[in-house]
Amino acid sequence: MLTAVDTTTTTQHKNMNQTRMSRLSYKFALAATLLSQSTATGNSMFSTAPDDLEMKSTTRLTKPLPLAVGEVSNTFHTLDIPPGPIAVYEFKADIVEIDPDTNEIIPVPLNEAYLHHHVVGSNHKSYEHMKDSHSPMKPEGMFKGVGFGAGTESRGTPQKFYYPFAFTTEPDEDTWIANVHVINTREMTTSQAGHCLECPCTSEDVLDGLTVNYTPRGWTGCNDFVLQVLNNDACHAETYKGGLRCCEHGEYCLERSALPENGPISTFYLRYTITYSELRPENRALRLAACCDATGDLDRHGNIEYDVPQCDDPVNNPEECIYELTTVQMLHSVGNNGAFGVLPGDKEGGGTSVDVVYTVGHMHRGGIEIEIADEETGEVICLSKPTYGKDQDVVGKEKDYIVSMSTCTFNPPRKMRTSDLVRVTARYDSTKPHTGVMSLFYIAAADPVDDMAVGLNVLGAALTTEAGVIEETSTSESLKIAFVSIGLIAICVLAVKKFGRKDGYSRIEAVNVTV
């Protein structure tokens, strides 16, 4: 059950965007379309949502997370959602606490409550056939992934989609589940918190060379380059130093002797907000691709995490301290029949056509950038970069923490096949060593219209009405973005000239635009 905090708002969308756009020249419209491929966190996009689309928003809290200083919570939570069928266009979340005197909900700074990750999914009976499918960070036992594995960037990077794309629910589906991983770093020094958030193994962890804490987790996820060439410590039980395996529920991120005795218990919550509407027949359901994890390859999904060793000379040659990891994976790999999958990808070619709508990277502290590119042509599909906060203790701007990741939205959708090979490249700053870092890419895609029309149901959803809608753009917001688009025409045109075109797409880096 959830804490009894539920705020729901309703707005009526008035679609004036097309009228305004008709007054722009063809070049202006083209520039706006190109700009929309690199969307801004927190800003709305152009859409063609119908005039009568009624948008609703609900905000709720998970069950409480009481934690001592340095303690880890890594648990599953039931998320109540409005009864289905609905179409969810936006999901955002952050860590909060409740003032005991005023009952006010207060956002907690990342340097006090470190959100390692949250992963949202559904165990509705209609998705049971998807339980063995893979998407990055999807926990074992979760049927369908419906949310990305966002961490500290979650507050500044809401996941949102444009009409008619959305994550959809079934008629009797009224709950989701979430794996929420939080560490209490309150009352720690900056140095302690920085060490703690990388989940170093402590003397309380049992490492016997074969398992960590007696858990026989597989050690076969790393690709040959990470395993053999780099000989990365995170790939071997006998050299494991820190990360998820030493950061389980109830553990402490530092030696107890380094933590304050009888420290206070802080009670945190994951606050989540979804924006949704009733399901519409013309909507298109999104699913998560199996790709991408920079530690995997064509045969392995990946190890999820790896270590970044310190470079040889961080003092005199810091510019050379970049730890790069690159690999090739299929957009959606063999063996994922339930996710994108009546017709899964095939190494020998073929695969299934899908429309890619949204991509975003996930990195840990020290991350510089992560990109995916077409392995055949070299075209960069999306470059996702972290933004680091610069203000100590200011919520949303926490110094040296990743507060957002740039995203890529493809409007119109990017046409791909599940068998397409993509190259994943991640770069970390190695002036300092890091344990348990991640380099993941989340890709949301839908069945192409033609396939939906003939009922192929490539994405593996239950054979019921599919739908999904987006629009949280007010008229004034749309006009603001129109003017920003006009102002950035030169940039867009230059991007086309510089990078060239392929199938109507230009190679554009994800950017954050503030209006």
Side-chain angles (χ1 to χ4, degrees):
M1 298 296 294
L2 294 187
T3 302
V5 177
D6 182 359
T7 305
T8 302
T9 58
T10 303
T11 58
Q12 188 77 19
H13 169 64
K14 297 299 182 183
N15 188 13
M16 298 178 64
N17 298 336
Q18 289 180 318
T19 302
R20 298 296 185 184
M21 284 294 294
S22 66
R23 299 176 184 176
L24 299 175
S25 70
Y26 172 77
K27 290 183 179 180
F28 289 177
L30 173 61
T33 300
L34 291 173
L35 180 63
S36 73
Q37 291 186 18
S38 301
T39 58
T41 298
N43 292 307
S44 301
M45 295 174 290
F46 290 113
S47 77
T48 55
D51 292 345
D52 61 347
L53 180 64
E54 184 178 299
M55 300 296 299
K56 298 179 180 180
S57 179
T58 182
T59 298
R60 309 185 185 191
L61 304 181
T62 62
K63 64 185 180 183
L65 304 168
L67 293 172
V69 178
E71 189 176 5
V72 177
S73 177
N74 189 2
T75 51
F76 285 84
H77 301 255
T78 297
L79 306 186
D80 285 345
I81 61 174
I86 62 172
V88 177
Y89 329 115
E90 182 175 1
F91 183 93
K92 56 185 178 181
D94 65 345
I95 298 297
V96 300
E97 60 187 341
I98 298 176
D99 187 311
D101 297 323
T102 65
N103 285 327
E104 180 184 2
I105 298 176
I106 303 172
V108 181
L110 293 172
N111 56 310
E112 295 185 10
Y114 182 78
L115 178 58
H116 188 281
H117 70 261
H118 67 77
V119 182
V120 181
S122 176
N123 271 8
H124 188 269
K125 59 186 178 183
S126 64
Y127 310 128
E128 187 172 3
H129 65 290
M130 301 172 67
K131 64 182 179 180
D132 294 326
S133 65
H134 175 83
S135 60
M137 287 291 289
K138 193 185 89 167
E140 184 178 351
M142 185 181 286
F143 292 171
K144 184 183 81 166
V146 295
F148 307 125
T152 60
E153 75 274 17
S154 180
R155 181 179 279 132
T157 314
Q159 302 159 20
K160 57 181 167 182
F161 317 101
Y162 64 91
Y163 181 87
F165 300 97
F167 282 99
T168 63
T169 67
E170 294 295 312
D172 57 345
E173 185 177 359
D174 57 8
T175 61
W176 282 347
I177 56 174
N179 173 223
V180 182
H181 192 177
V182 180
I183 308 173
N184 182 3
T185 57
R186 182 168 278 173
E187 298 196 4
M188 289 187 182
T189 65
T190 300
S191 176
Q192 282 182 317
H195 189 46
C196 173
L197 60 85
E198 296 193 339
C199 297
C201 298
T202 70
S203 60
E204 295 184 17
D205 291 300
V206 180
L207 295 86
D208 60 12
L210 297 175
T211 66
V212 176
N213 295 324
Y214 307 110
T215 302
R217 292 186 175 180
W219 297 94
T220 58
C222 292
N223 61 45
D224 290 341
F225 179 74
V226 180
L227 182 68
Q228 299 174 9
V229 179
L230 297 180
N231 196 28
N232 198 275
D233 288 344
C235 298
H236 310 273
E238 59 269 25
T239 57
Y240 193 78
K241 294 182 176 66
L244 282 172
R245 293 170 171 87
C246 287
C247 215
E248 295 290 3
H249 181 66
E251 288 198 273
Y252 286 79
C253 63
L254 298 176
E255 296 291 350
R256 304 258 189 145
S257 59
L259 299 171
E261 294 185 14
N262 302 318
I265 301 295
S266 299
T267 301
F268 304 123
Y269 304 80
L270 181 78
R271 174 175 61 179
Y272 63 98
T273 300
I274 64 172
T275 302
Y276 67 99
S277 76
E278 293 184 359
L279 206 62
R280 290 181 175 238
E282 61 270 23
N283 299 147
R284 299 175 61 186
L286 293 171
R287 299 288 183 271
L288 298 182
C291 191
C292 304
D293 182 341
T295 65
D297 57 20
L298 292 176
D299 298 308
R300 287 161 282 206
H301 294 308
N303 195 55
I304 299 179
E305 60 180 357
Y306 61 100
D307 293 348
V308 174
Q310 188 174 36
C311 62
D312 293 334
D313 193 357
V315 176
N316 297 315
N317 295 299
E319 67 280 356
E320 297 181 5
C321 295
I322 297 177
Y323 191 82
E324 180 176 295
L325 200 60
T326 186
T327 190
V328 174
Q329 292 186 307
M330 276 193 293
L331 178 67
H332 196 73
S333 56
V334 173
N336 277 275
N337 296 43
F340 274 92
V342 175
L343 303 172
D346 187 300
K347 291 181 185 178
E348 282 69 44
T352 299
S353 178
V354 293
D355 285 349
V356 174
V357 174
Y358 178 94
T359 61
V360 62
H362 172 65
M363 306 188 82
H364 286 194
R365 179 185 281 199
I368 298 173
E369 61 187 18
I370 181 171
E371 71 176 33
I372 50 173
D374 185 310
E375 174 64 2
E376 180 181 355
T377 66
E379 176 195 9
V380 174
I381 297 170
C382 182
L383 175 62
S384 185
K385 290 186 174 184
T387 296
Y388 287 86
K390 298 181 179 180
D391 297 320
Q392 192 69 32
D393 298 329
V394 177
V395 174
K397 298 181 180 180
E398 295 88 344
K399 183 176 174 59
D400 297 330
Y401 285 78
I402 294 178
V403 295
S404 67
M405 291 290 298
S406 59
T407 68
C408 294
T409 291
F410 301 92
N411 185 5
R414 182 183 179 92
K415 302 292 184 181
M416 297 186 71
R417 301 192 72 80
T418 55
S419 56
D420 284 351
L421 300 183
V422 295
R423 177 166 291 278
V424 187
T425 303
R427 300 176 180 93
Y428 270 83
D429 182 338
S430 61
T431 54
K432 297 179 180 180
H434 303 281
T435 58
V437 305
M438 298 181 183
S439 295
L440 310 175
F441 238 109
Y442 293 90
I443 302 174
D447 292 314
V449 174
D450 290 345
D451 287 350
M452 292 178 68
V454 298
L456 287 182
N457 194 40
V458 176
L459 295 178
L463 294 176
T464 58
T465 303
E466 297 279 15
V469 185
I470 180 174
E471 183 53 48
E472 64 281 298
T473 308
S474 66
T475 301
S476 60
E477 288 175 328
S478 299
L479 289 175
K480 287 180 182 179
I481 291 183
F483 290 126
V484 171
S485 301
I486 296 171
L488 293 177
I489 288 171
I491 296 175
C492 294
V493 172
L494 286 174
V496 174
K497 289 182 178 179
K498 181 177 180 181
F499 297 121
R501 305 278 289 183
K502 179 193 176 187
D503 296 330
Y505 295 98
S506 59
R507 176 181 169 185
I508 298 178
E509 177 181 329
V511 295
N512 289 323
V513 180
T514 301
V515 179

